[in-house]
Amino acid sequence: MTTMTKAEFDATVGRSRLPLDAATREELFGVLGKLDAMVERVKRPKPREAESALIFVPE
């Protein structure tokens, strides 16, 4: 579920000045919930092992 209403989304797209037609706006608004979920996943702290440069041992 998205945290943004259709009106808020339209205002945000309008401020971005991206040349999006109505069909593209509708498609983006339809997947906004999935994008919100991805953003939340990225914000979570990662374990030390997630950074390969910290655990890589060169030969």
Side-chain angles (χ1 to χ4, degrees):
M1 188 68 180
T2 182
T3 58
M4 196 180 289
T5 66
K6 180 74 167 108
E8 292 170 333
F9 177 76
D10 286 336
T12 301
V13 171
R15 282 193 306 271
S16 73
R17 294 187 171 176
L18 292 172
L20 302 176
D21 59 11
T24 304
R25 282 182 185 221
E26 287 300 318
E27 186 175 353
L28 287 174
F29 186 72
V31 298
L32 193 56
K34 292 180 182 179
L35 293 173
D36 286 344
M38 285 178 15
V39 168
E40 288 304 314
R41 228 179 12 252
V42 169
K43 286 182 179 179
R44 277 189 254 146
K46 304 287 186 274
R48 186 177 194 287
E49 301 81 32
E51 178 54 60
S52 58
L54 297 176
I55 60 172
F56 178 73
V57 180
E59 296 180 330

